[in-house]
Amino acid sequence: MNWMQSRTPEERKAIAAKSVATRQKNIREREAQRLVDIEQRDSLKCEIKKLKAELDSLRKLEHVNKTALTLTGKTLLREEEIVSAANTWELATGVYFLIDSGKVVYVGQSVNVYARIASHHDKVFDSFAFIPCDKKILDSLESLYIHTLRPALNGNMQGAKHAPMPLDKLIGATT
């Protein structure tokens, strides 16, 4: 007689029920693992698709850059590089400097520096620079630079350079 036959009918029934429960549990676990595997497979397929698209884009960029390098001696920036180096429009507010032959010849201010510089047809300059700043300090900052640099193209008034704020007012404002 085997060990199962030596059991009572209630014990055999309990053993069979436990066996069925274990099989069902194993089936559920295998099914759950299969679903996880499918999800991981699909996720990897998506990632592969994205990487292939990126590789294709990089190959196109490489081709364009080779052409650009041949034509201009320079490569093109990627869109991400352009965007990361971009300034917001608010940064176009500031004090600007017109420069000729390595010397600041004019100091000005504007809430749209680029448009203002373009309007200086009456002044001779070969380059420009500007310092972005808040609108509230434009007069002060421009005045400080005019009084300090004394640029040739900024007007004279009673022997001093014309600035939005006189030097004595600026000095009094800081003390």
Side-chain angles (χ1 to χ4, degrees), residues 70-111:
T70 301
L71 294 172
T72 66
K74 297 186 181 295
T75 59
L76 300 178
L77 296 173
R78 291 190 331 268
E79 183 177 17
E80 299 83 28
E81 294 171 314
I82 294 167
V83 170
S84 70
N87 290 320
T88 61
W89 192 247
E90 293 82 38
L91 291 181
T93 297
V95 173
Y96 63 92
F97 308 88
L98 302 183
I99 302 165
D100 189 37
S101 302
K103 291 197 62 75
V104 174
V105 294
Y106 185 81
V107 176
Q109 63 165 292
S110 180
V111 294

Coordinates of all heavy atoms in Angstrom, one line a residue, residues 70-111:
T70 N 32.3 71.3 -46.4 CA 32.9 71.5 -47.7 C 32.5 72.9 -48.3 O 33.4 73.6 -48.8 CB 32.3 70.4 -48.7 OG1 32.6 69.2 -48.2 CG2 32.9 70.6 -50.1
L71 N 31.3 73.4 -48.1 CA 30.9 74.6 -48.6 C 31.4 75.8 -47.8 O 31.7 76.9 -48.4 CB 29.3 74.7 -48.7 CG 28.7 73.7 -49.7 CD1 27.1 73.8 -49.5 CD2 29.0 74.1 -51.1
T72 N 31.3 75.7 -46.5 CA 31.6 76.9 -45.6 C 32.8 76.7 -44.7 O 33.2 77.7 -44.1 CB 30.4 77.2 -44.7 OG1 30.2 76.1 -43.8 CG2 29.1 77.4 -45.5
G73 N 33.3 75.5 -44.6 CA 34.4 75.3 -43.7 C 34.0 75.2 -42.2 O 34.8 75.1 -41.3
K74 N 32.6 75.1 -42.0 CA 32.1 75.0 -40.7 C 31.0 73.9 -40.7 O 30.4 73.7 -41.7 CB 31.5 76.3 -40.2 CG 32.5 77.5 -40.1 CD 31.8 78.7 -39.6 CE 32.8 79.9 -39.5 NZ 33.9 79.7 -38.6
T75 N 30.8 73.3 -39.5 CA 29.7 72.4 -39.3 C 28.5 73.1 -38.7 O 28.6 74.2 -38.2 CB 30.1 71.2 -38.4 OG1 30.4 71.7 -37.2 CG2 31.2 70.4 -39.0
L76 N 27.3 72.5 -38.9 CA 26.1 73.1 -38.4 C 25.9 72.7 -36.9 O 26.3 71.6 -36.5 CB 24.9 72.6 -39.2 CG 24.9 73.0 -40.7 CD1 23.7 72.4 -41.4 CD2 25.0 74.5 -40.8
L77 N 25.3 73.5 -36.1 CA 24.9 73.2 -34.8 C 23.7 72.3 -34.8 O 22.8 72.5 -35.7 CB 24.7 74.4 -34.0 CG 25.8 75.4 -33.7 CD1 25.4 76.6 -33.0 CD2 26.9 74.7 -32.9
R78 N 23.5 71.4 -33.9 CA 22.3 70.6 -33.7 C 21.2 71.5 -33.1 O 21.6 72.5 -32.4 CB 22.5 69.4 -32.8 CG 23.4 68.3 -33.5 CD 23.5 67.0 -32.7 NE 23.3 67.1 -31.3 CZ 24.2 67.2 -30.4 NH1 25.5 67.3 -30.8 NH2 24.0 67.3 -29.1
E79 N 20.0 71.2 -33.3 CA 18.9 72.0 -32.8 C 19.0 72.2 -31.3 O 18.8 73.3 -30.8 CB 17.6 71.4 -33.2 CG 16.4 72.2 -32.7 CD 15.0 71.6 -33.1 OE1 15.0 70.5 -33.5 OE2 14.1 72.4 -33.1
E80 N 19.4 71.1 -30.6 CA 19.5 71.2 -29.1 C 20.6 72.2 -28.7 O 20.4 72.9 -27.7 CB 19.9 69.8 -28.5 CG 18.8 68.7 -28.8 CD 19.0 68.0 -30.2 OE1 20.1 68.0 -30.7 OE2 17.9 67.6 -30.7
E81 N 21.7 72.2 -29.5 CA 22.8 73.2 -29.2 C 22.3 74.6 -29.4 O 22.6 75.5 -28.6 CB 24.0 72.9 -30.1 CG 24.6 71.6 -29.8 CD 25.7 71.2 -30.8 OE1 25.5 71.3 -32.0 OE2 26.8 70.8 -30.3
I82 N 21.5 74.8 -30.5 CA 21.0 76.2 -30.7 C 20.1 76.6 -29.6 O 20.2 77.7 -29.1 CB 20.3 76.2 -32.1 CG1 21.3 76.0 -33.2 CG2 19.6 77.5 -32.3 CD1 20.7 75.7 -34.6
V83 N 19.2 75.7 -29.3 CA 18.1 76.0 -28.3 C 18.8 76.3 -26.9 O 18.5 77.2 -26.2 CB 17.1 74.9 -28.2 CG1 16.2 75.1 -27.0 CG2 16.3 74.9 -29.5
S84 N 19.8 75.4 -26.6 CA 20.4 75.6 -25.2 C 21.2 76.9 -25.1 O 21.4 77.4 -24.1 CB 21.3 74.4 -24.9 OG 22.4 74.4 -25.7
A85 N 21.7 77.4 -26.3 CA 22.5 78.7 -26.2 C 21.6 79.9 -26.5 O 22.1 81.0 -26.4 CB 23.5 78.6 -27.3
A86 N 20.3 79.7 -26.7 CA 19.4 80.8 -27.0 C 19.2 81.7 -25.7 O 19.2 81.2 -24.6 CB 18.1 80.3 -27.5
N87 N 19.0 83.0 -26.0 CA 18.6 83.9 -25.0 C 17.1 84.2 -25.1 O 16.6 84.2 -26.2 CB 19.4 85.2 -25.1 CG 20.9 85.1 -24.8 OD1 21.2 84.4 -23.8 ND2 21.7 85.7 -25.5
T88 N 16.5 84.5 -24.0 CA 15.1 84.9 -24.1 C 15.1 86.3 -24.6 O 16.0 87.1 -24.5 CB 14.5 84.9 -22.7 OG1 15.2 85.8 -21.8 CG2 14.5 83.5 -22.1
W89 N 13.9 86.7 -25.1 CA 13.8 88.0 -25.7 C 14.0 89.1 -24.7 O 14.5 90.2 -25.0 CB 12.4 88.2 -26.4 CG 12.3 89.4 -27.2 CD1 11.5 90.5 -27.0 CD2 13.0 89.7 -28.4 NE1 11.7 91.4 -28.0 CE2 12.7 90.9 -28.9 CE3 14.0 89.0 -29.1 CZ2 13.2 91.5 -30.0 CZ3 14.5 89.6 -30.3 CH2 14.1 90.8 -30.7
E90 N 13.7 88.9 -23.4 CA 13.8 89.9 -22.4 C 15.3 90.2 -22.2 O 15.6 91.3 -21.8 CB 13.3 89.4 -21.0 CG 11.8 89.2 -21.0 CD 11.4 87.9 -21.5 OE1 12.0 86.8 -21.3 OE2 10.3 87.8 -22.2
L91 N 16.2 89.3 -22.6 CA 17.6 89.6 -22.5 C 18.1 90.6 -23.5 O 19.3 91.0 -23.5 CB 18.5 88.3 -22.6 CG 18.3 87.4 -21.4 CD1 19.2 86.2 -21.6 CD2 18.7 88.1 -20.1
A92 N 17.3 91.0 -24.4 CA 17.6 92.0 -25.4 C 17.5 93.4 -24.8 O 17.8 94.4 -25.5 CB 16.8 91.9 -26.7
T93 N 17.1 93.5 -23.6 CA 17.0 94.8 -22.9 C 18.3 95.0 -22.2 O 18.8 94.1 -21.4 CB 15.9 94.8 -21.8 OG1 14.6 94.7 -22.5 CG2 15.9 96.1 -21.0
G94 N 19.0 96.1 -22.4 CA 20.3 96.4 -21.8 C 21.0 97.6 -22.2 O 20.5 98.4 -23.0
V95 N 22.2 97.7 -21.8 CA 23.1 98.8 -22.2 C 24.0 98.2 -23.3 O 24.6 97.1 -23.1 CB 24.0 99.3 -21.0 CG1 25.0 100.3 -21.4 CG2 23.0 99.9 -19.9
Y96 N 24.2 98.9 -24.4 CA 25.0 98.5 -25.5 C 26.1 99.4 -25.8 O 26.1 100.6 -25.4 CB 24.1 98.3 -26.8 CG 23.5 99.5 -27.3 CD1 24.2 100.3 -28.2 CD2 22.3 100.0 -26.8 CE1 23.6 101.5 -28.7 CE2 21.7 101.1 -27.3 CZ 22.4 101.9 -28.3 OH 21.8 103.1 -28.7
F97 N 27.1 98.8 -26.4 CA 28.4 99.6 -26.7 C 28.7 99.4 -28.2 O 28.7 98.3 -28.7 CB 29.5 99.0 -25.9 CG 29.2 98.9 -24.4 CD1 28.6 97.7 -23.9 CD2 29.6 99.9 -23.6 CE1 28.3 97.6 -22.6 CE2 29.3 99.8 -22.2 CZ 28.7 98.6 -21.7
L98 N 28.8 100.5 -28.9 CA 29.3 100.5 -30.3 C 30.8 100.6 -30.2 O 31.4 101.5 -29.5 CB 28.7 101.7 -31.1 CG 27.2 101.7 -31.1 CD1 26.7 102.9 -32.0 CD2 26.6 100.4 -31.6
I99 N 31.5 99.8 -31.0 CA 32.9 99.6 -30.9 C 33.5 99.9 -32.3 O 33.0 99.4 -33.3 CB 33.3 98.2 -30.4 CG1 32.7 98.0 -29.0 CG2 34.8 98.1 -30.4 CD1 32.7 96.6 -28.5
D100 N 34.6 100.6 -32.4 CA 35.3 100.9 -33.6 C 36.8 100.7 -33.4 O 37.3 101.4 -32.5 CB 34.9 102.2 -34.2 CG 35.5 102.4 -35.6 OD1 35.4 101.4 -36.4 OD2 35.9 103.5 -35.9
S101 N 37.4 99.9 -34.1 CA 38.8 99.7 -34.0 C 39.3 99.4 -32.6 O 40.3 99.9 -32.1 CB 39.6 100.9 -34.5 OG 39.3 101.1 -35.9
G102 N 38.5 98.6 -31.9 CA 38.9 98.1 -30.5 C 38.6 99.1 -29.4 O 39.0 98.9 -28.3
K103 N 37.9 100.2 -29.7 CA 37.5 101.2 -28.7 C 36.0 101.4 -28.7 O 35.4 101.5 -29.7 CB 38.2 102.6 -29.0 CG 39.7 102.5 -28.8 CD 40.3 103.9 -28.7 CE 39.9 104.7 -27.6 NZ 40.4 104.5 -26.3
V104 N 35.5 101.6 -27.5 CA 34.1 101.9 -27.3 C 33.9 103.3 -27.7 O 34.5 104.3 -27.2 CB 33.6 101.7 -25.8 CG1 32.2 102.2 -25.7 CG2 33.7 100.2 -25.4
V105 N 33.1 103.6 -28.8 CA 32.8 104.9 -29.3 C 31.5 105.4 -28.9 O 31.2 106.6 -29.1 CB 33.0 105.0 -30.8 CG1 34.5 104.7 -31.2 CG2 32.1 104.0 -31.5
Y106 N 30.6 104.6 -28.4 CA 29.2 105.0 -28.1 C 28.6 104.1 -27.1 O 28.8 102.8 -27.2 CB 28.3 105.1 -29.3 CG 27.0 105.7 -29.0 CD1 26.8 107.1 -28.9 CD2 25.9 104.9 -28.8 CE1 25.5 107.6 -28.6 CE2 24.6 105.4 -28.6 CZ 24.4 106.8 -28.5 OH 23.2 107.3 -28.2
V107 N 27.9 104.6 -26.1 CA 27.2 103.8 -25.1 C 25.7 104.2 -25.2 O 25.4 105.4 -25.2 CB 27.7 104.0 -23.7 CG1 26.9 103.2 -22.6 CG2 29.2 103.6 -23.5
G108 N 24.9 103.2 -25.2 CA 23.4 103.5 -25.3 C 22.6 102.5 -24.5 O 23.2 101.5 -24.0
Q109 N 21.3 102.6 -24.5 CA 20.5 101.7 -23.8 C 19.2 101.5 -24.6 O 18.8 102.4 -25.4 CB 20.1 102.2 -22.4 CG 19.3 103.5 -22.4 CD 18.6 103.8 -21.2 OE1 17.7 103.1 -20.8 NE2 19.0 104.9 -20.5
S110 N 18.6 100.3 -24.4 CA 17.4 100.1 -25.2 C 16.7 98.9 -24.6 O 17.3 98.0 -24.0 CB 17.7 99.8 -26.6 OG 16.5 99.6 -27.3
V111 N 15.3 98.8 -24.8 CA 14.6 97.6 -24.4 C 14.6 96.6 -25.5 O 14.1 95.5 -25.4 CB 13.1 98.0 -24.0 CG1 13.1 98.8 -22.7 CG2 12.4 98.7 -25.1

